Amino acid sequence: MSDERPFWETTSLHHMTAEQWESLCDGCAKCCLEKFEEEETGRIVYSQVACTLLDLGTCRCRDYANRARQVSDCVTLTPAELARPQWLPETCAYRRLAEGRPLPRWHPLITGDPASVVEAGHSVRGRVIAPGPRIEPLMHLIDWIR
């Protein structure tokens, strides 16, 4: 009898194929916002300011393949980076699986619909701003991402 559970329940993050790994991203773009770590608590605080490469309409990177070369603090997510996943939003599939939690019910791998992220209110679409020379991320902190 074959195991009919989905791959994210049967395959560890370290053993996923590149295609499986990439499919875990729900496209919310929360990780593509400027963020800060509070020194005293270690808590991550997000700003409303998006990465320079984020397409605010699609919530996708405009140059995904070269993002780490173009943006110095862009993190290329790997299983090793998930040893301490607290910098990722609590809703992030990579963080949830690294912490032994299930995917959220609105995740596109569960719903079969990429729009389910927006419909569930978990996308940054329409809620963030582009970076600019006069935009100071510390003046645009938000509390709707945990």
Side-chain angles (χ1 to χ4, degrees):
M1 184 172 162
S2 67
D3 191 348
E4 295 183 23
R5 294 183 303 161
F7 75 87
W8 59 88
E9 292 181 2
T10 61
T11 308
S12 74
L13 291 167
H14 289 282
H15 292 99
M16 287 184 183
T17 66
E19 182 180 355
Q20 289 171 329
W21 178 266
E22 292 296 326
S23 73
L24 291 176
C25 178
D26 60 31
C28 72
K30 293 174 185 173
C31 65
C32 298
L33 301 180
E34 293 283 339
K35 55 191 117 358
F36 305 91
E37 183 175 4
E38 289 183 341
E39 286 185 36
E40 299 81 29
T41 65
R43 184 174 80 103
I44 302 300
V45 180
Y46 290 81
S47 83
Q48 190 180 20
V49 181
C51 169
T52 188
L53 292 178
L54 185 67
D55 180 314
L56 300 184
T58 64
C59 288
R60 294 291 180 182
C61 184
R62 286 192 294 258
D63 193 3
Y64 186 75
N66 300 302
R67 68 195 183 282
R69 285 192 293 272
Q70 291 193 44
V71 179
S72 62
D73 58 350
C74 181
V75 176
T76 298
L77 199 56
T78 64
E81 287 290 334
L82 294 173
R84 293 198 53 223
Q86 294 77 8
W87 64 275
L88 290 166
E90 292 176 2
T91 57
C92 176
Y94 298 101
R95 177 177 176 174
R96 291 178 68 92
L97 293 177
E99 294 175 341
R101 295 185 294 142
L103 294 183
R105 68 183 186 284
W106 46 262
H107 194 285
L109 286 174
I110 300 209
T111 66
D113 181 6
S116 61
V117 179
V118 176
E119 293 166 4
H122 289 285
S123 172
V124 303
R125 187 175 299 159
R127 302 171 83 180
V128 299
I129 59 176
R134 296 183 185 206
I135 302 293
E136 174 52 54
L138 284 171
M139 300 305 292
H140 293 274
L141 299 180
I142 53 177
D143 62 3
W144 48 267
I145 297 176
R146 300 258 183 263

